[in-house]
Amino acid sequence: MPRLTDLDRRMISALRKDGRAPVAALAEQLGVARATVTSRIEKLKAAGVIVGFSVRVHDHNETGEVRAISFIEVVGRTTDHVIAELRGFPEIMALHTTNGGWDLVAEISCENLRDFDEVLRRVRGIKGVVNSETSLLLSSVVR
């Protein structure tokens, strides 16, 4: 992976705010030529730094969805099994391995608290899961 320049970091930050920003607007905002922006985006995509662009939807708080982060501890060498099981949960938006006291971190989104409670029950019922701690996400202040 290439070393990111200050321009790369500023451009990535701008694209995180608006992934559909026109190249001309990015160039003006960053104080560089349009060709520079186009070239840097292509290089970052080719290097795997930028892996895609996505759409952001309205904040979950206003749609009534329940969002949470769940820290999961697994026993022994069951991590691959637990990951395979969790991949089948449509409520899990992202799953990460981590270090420290927890083995996995899951980002969960459910329509309501009843569904959320059911997801937690199913996660805790997976063979190999020995402990979990879950925190509800109340509001997003930075994305």
Side-chain angles (χ1 to χ4, degrees):
M1 183 173 307
R3 180 173 287 254
L4 296 180
T5 66
D6 180 60
L7 174 61
D8 293 335
R9 285 189 291 279
R10 290 187 300 125
M11 185 168 48
I12 289 168
S13 177
L15 287 169
R16 281 186 176 139
K17 290 177 186 164
D18 183 1
R20 295 184 58 191
V23 170
L26 287 170
E28 182 177 334
Q29 178 182 348
L30 299 169
V32 297
R34 289 175 27 186
T36 301
V37 170
T38 301
S39 168
R40 292 307 306 158
I41 288 174
E42 290 306 316
K43 286 179 183 177
L44 292 170
K45 284 170 42 181
V49 174
I50 295 177
V51 295
F53 298 86
S54 64
V55 74
R56 288 178 31 204
V57 296
H58 209 289
D59 192 5
H60 296 285
N61 289 334
E62 295 187 19
T63 63
E65 285 184 87
V66 176
R67 296 178 305 140
I69 297 293
S70 186
F71 300 93
I72 302 166
E73 180 184 0
V74 300
V75 65
R77 298 175 187 240
T78 61
T79 304
D80 290 340
H81 166 74
V82 172
I83 290 171
E85 291 290 319
L86 291 172
R87 280 189 177 150
F89 285 45
E91 301 88 355
I92 294 183
M93 311 313 318
L95 183 63
H96 313 276
T97 58
T98 188
N99 65 334
W102 303 103
D103 300 298
L104 301 169
V105 177
E107 298 177 39
I108 301 171
S109 178
C110 297
E111 288 187 25
N112 55 55
L113 284 173
R114 182 175 305 146
D115 292 347
F116 176 69
D117 187 40
E118 175 62 18
V119 169
L120 292 182
R121 186 192 64 72
R122 289 175 23 227
V123 167
R124 292 175 182 141
I126 295 173
K127 183 177 178 153
V129 172
V130 293
N131 193 14
S132 68
E133 181 178 313
T134 303
S135 295
L136 291 175
L137 300 175
L138 302 177
S139 63
S140 297
V141 294
V142 176
R143 281 196 194 222

